[in-house]
Amino acid sequence: MAFFANEQKLTIAMPKGRIFEEAVHFLQQAGLEVTAELQDSRKLVIPVENASLEFILAKPADVPTYVEYGVADVGVVGKDVLLEEERDVYELLDLQIGYCRMMVAGLPDWKPTDSPRVATKYPKIASRYFREQGQQVEVIKLNGSVELAPMIGLADRIVDIVSTGRTLKENGLVELEHICEITTRLIANRASYRMKSEAVDDIAGKFLEVIPGRK
Ligand SMILES: Nc1ncnc2c1ncn2[C@@H]1O[C@H](COP(=O)(O)OP(=O)(O)OP(=O)(O)O)[C@@H](O)[C@H]1O
Ligand SMILES: O=P(O)(O)OC[C@H]1O[C@H](OP(=O)(O)OP(=O)(O)O)[C@H](O)[C@@H]1O
């Protein structure tokens, strides 16, 4: 039996990596057919047999790109990526999984300087935040291991995701300012939202059923 009543095929972009397992578990709870191929293969395009559904597996930062261009109708992605990538997509639901927070962190004895430098994987989020605070900073883009920067003098602060706080602690850094909470979101392509409204509504409705407190 087809998943959607009117046979509208829906392509869902899923984020590989850290939130993948939690996202797959969420799909299962919502009643979507999750095949072994999705969970355990190197395939990047995974059609679900007998259902009008197809998954694509993407790097988290690329999920909004696939959705904006319409090669995926909907996508599952962290709010951090949405804030950083600023893609033209609809944000439909907060799935309330993938909890973490975006923080400014630094050495415990951090003090303002005349030429502040901030290292981050999230240059847009960082620039926006400090602009809103009325602070002029130089933002240095890194691709990971950002905690290194204050330790070895590349920057005096970082903007990064904190979850357990273990990475900061083990590198002698402390949380200085809270920027925002991050969770995983369901996003939709603008045209798909209109042209495949039944299928998109159907999936959003199924997701809504399993979001705590949203029934
Ligand atoms: N502790 C955490 N650190 C980083 N991301 C987290 C954390 N907890 C949840 N997330 C979510 O997971 C997503 C990042 O996943 P992942 O680290 O696999 O992607 P990535 O940044 O592309 O990885 P990498 O560049 O290290 O391969 C983020 O978008 C965020 O929403
Ligand atoms: O508070 P914690 O639970 O320690 O998690 C936070 C760390 O996890 C992420 O890094 P990731 O492992 O994705 O590696 P990266 O530094 O290469 O981005 C993030 O950038 C922090 O460094």
Side-chain angles (χ1 to χ4, degrees), residues 33 61 69 75 78-79 88 105 124 128 130 143 160 175 185:
E33 193 181 328
Y69 282 89
K79 181 69 178 177
D88 186 19
K124 281 190 189 163
R128 200 182 308 130
F130 286 108
N143 293 299
D160 199 15
E175 299 181 20
R185 310 297 164 110

Side-chain angles (χ1 to χ4, degrees), residues 79-92:
K79 181 69 178 177
D80 53 320
V81 172
L82 293 175
L83 291 170
E84 184 62 25
E85 297 297 319
E86 297 182 310
R87 289 288 176 179
D88 186 19
V89 295
Y90 283 130
E91 190 181 314
L92 298 183

Side-chain angles (χ1 to χ4, degrees), residues 146-160:
V146 214
E147 290 81 1
L148 260 179
M151 296 173 66
I152 59 167
L154 175 66
D156 55 333
R157 283 170 294 171
I158 60 171
V159 164
D160 199 15

